[in-house]
Amino acid sequence: MVAGHLQEKSGYWYCVITYKSNNGRPKSKWMATGLKAKGNKKRAEEKLLLARILFDPTKPDQEMNLKSEPAQNVLKNMVLETPAIETDNDCNADKAGYWMDQLIADWLESVRNKVAKSTFAGYRHPVKNYLKPYFEDHPCLVKDLSEEYLYDYFELLYEKGLSYKTISNHRGIISGMIRHARQLKYLKYNPLELIDPPPKSQPVENYFSAAELSDLLATVRDTELEYPVLISILYGLRRSEVCGLKWDAVDFKNHIFTIRHTIEEVNNDYGHMEISGKDENKNKRIKSYPLLPQMEELLIRMKERQKDQGFYRSNGYVYLDEEKGVLVRPGYITSHFRSHLEKHGFKHIRFHDLRHSCASALLADRESTVGLKDIQSWLGHSDLKSTMRYAHIVEVKTKMHTAESINSLIFPQK
């Protein structure tokens, strides 16, 4: 019998059957129960059991009528002939044959349309490369999942040299799977609660000073990197926001621009890179900024160039390949930025570190009155907790004033 679970959609219950296709990859088939979600959970579970019994993985496209008389007879016979299974009251009676690799496939499919594509891609990589192979080599029924199993899995990750942050991401995925299993009553307790989380590693930030940022800008002038580097330095934008800016979000009359569209670049199910746009940023908040003179001058030049080449569209993207007129990928920025730093003798930082450099330069300026709340607003952090990573810069800045005071007291100028 194949694996499956119930999924609520548009107020109705659907059966989601998970099976392995001819190439060995897990696939899902959705079947409508015709039952409204409210008050019909038990009947929907019966439909799910029937669908799992009748579904033939070798004929996945074959239509099944769960209401037909033959189907109902199968269900009745199954109920009569299936021996009772002794289970705890809070666990599903069908848990006996539900394996961890089935749970992994079911959970991954259940979250596919609930999270952003980039988030789903972030789930899929650990599942494909670590979780699935581990539980194929160490078969385990979901009902038998214990802290020992999980402890051995995390030990394997530590042995492979994965970072604390990566292991923490694996822990989050496993937590979601366990929550899914408990909702379906395949597991009666959460063994993950008994496993200590990895230590929180202090993020190591690579900042460019204000002087280094100025030198960098001089080297990217009139190159394909001028736009992404300048806008990221001045406004602390992410790659997705840099590539996602459109001309209809730039208001030259009032000298402002708005970040309301982003570009994602993720691997699809077949390992191919996909580019997609969405009308929201990471924190789902629209951000507006004043057009600083240097930025405005560059955008005007870019707009005129696109018009001359016939690439300009009033609702089109700002950052296009100058020869082909196609959207520049976020990955292009990353690779070419790295090469540019090496070519011009700069120390290595990630492109994303320009965002941190923007904040650190503002906070490190001893004449500036910019504080953490200002940085939170400028970078678009949803809460101050994210901005607190820069608190040490403010602390050093405060201590400099203290140092000057004690120095003038002990060593007064004559």
Side-chain angles (χ1 to χ4, degrees), residues 26 107-117 120 124 269:
W107 173 83
L108 192 62
E109 197 59 37
S110 73
V111 300
R112 178 185 291 274
N113 297 317
K114 296 179 182 178
V115 298
K117 286 185 177 180
F120 184 76
R124 187 172 49 217
D269 291 345

Side-chain angles (χ1 to χ4, degrees), residues 369-392:
T369 58
V370 173
L372 289 175
K373 287 292 292 182
D374 302 304
I375 297 298
Q376 177 189 358
S377 175
W378 193 251
L379 296 185
H381 288 155
S382 57
D383 57 63
L384 192 60
K385 194 179 296 184
S386 300
T387 319
M388 288 304 293
R389 71 197 312 165
Y390 307 112
H392 67 284

Side-chain angles (χ1 to χ4, degrees), residues 404-414:
E404 289 172 357
S405 298
I406 191 67
N407 188 67
S408 62
L409 288 171
I410 304 301
F411 304 105
Q413 292 183 352
K414 296 182 180 179

Side-chain angles (χ1 to χ4, degrees), residues 150 153-155 157-158 162-172 174 192 194-202:
L150 296 179
Y153 176 74
F154 286 118
E155 281 297 299
L157 299 186
Y158 284 116
L162 273 63
S163 68
Y164 291 157
K165 186 176 186 304
T166 299
I167 294 175
S168 182
N169 291 340
H170 281 244
R171 183 184 177 88
I174 293 173
L192 191 61
L194 303 175
I195 306 294
D196 291 332
K200 288 189 176 181
S201 52
Q202 190 69 21

Side-chain angles (χ1 to χ4, degrees), residues 243-294:
C243 294
L245 183 63
K246 293 186 174 184
W247 287 118
D248 57 9
V250 181
D251 185 349
F252 289 108
K253 181 179 178 180
N254 294 303
H255 308 286
I256 62 172
F257 72 94
T258 304
I259 298 297
R260 56 173 179 252
H261 185 84
T262 57
I263 292 296
E264 285 187 334
E265 190 175 24
V266 297
N267 281 313
N268 61 22
D269 291 345
Y270 306 103
H272 301 306
M273 193 66 72
E274 281 185 354
I275 298 176
S276 63
K278 60 178 182 177
D279 290 329
E280 62 182 36
N281 56 35
K282 182 179 179 182
N283 295 321
K284 300 184 179 180
R285 298 166 61 191
I286 293 176
K287 302 186 293 185
S288 294
Y289 294 96
L291 266 177
L292 296 171
Q294 298 88 341

Side-chain angles (χ1 to χ4, degrees), residues 282-335:
K282 182 179 179 182
N283 295 321
K284 300 184 179 180
R285 298 166 61 191
I286 293 176
K287 302 186 293 185
S288 294
Y289 294 96
L291 266 177
L292 296 171
Q294 298 88 341
M295 195 71 242
E296 186 167 10
E297 185 270 332
L298 174 60
L299 288 176
I300 290 174
R301 280 195 283 126
M302 294 173 67
K303 184 176 181 179
E304 291 304 315
R305 196 179 303 133
Q306 285 190 17
K307 285 183 175 180
D308 292 341
Q309 296 169 320
F311 298 147
Y312 174 77
R313 302 289 182 274
S314 60
N315 62 345
Y317 289 103
V318 168
Y319 194 29
L320 300 180
D321 182 291
E322 293 187 2
E323 294 183 1
K324 301 177 182 177
V326 297
L327 176 69
V328 175
R329 300 181 299 105
Y332 176 92
I333 295 178
T334 298
S335 60

Side-chain angles (χ1 to χ4, degrees), residues 318-359:
V318 168
Y319 194 29
L320 300 180
D321 182 291
E322 293 187 2
E323 294 183 1
K324 301 177 182 177
V326 297
L327 176 69
V328 175
R329 300 181 299 105
Y332 176 92
I333 295 178
T334 298
S335 60
H336 280 69
F337 181 70
R338 185 189 305 116
S339 300
H340 185 88
L341 294 183
E342 293 176 359
K343 178 180 178 181
H344 293 273
F346 289 99
K347 70 179 181 182
H348 171 71
I349 66 169
R350 302 170 304 165
F351 181 82
H352 189 77
D353 290 326
L354 291 181
R355 176 174 167 85
H356 301 313
S357 299
C358 168

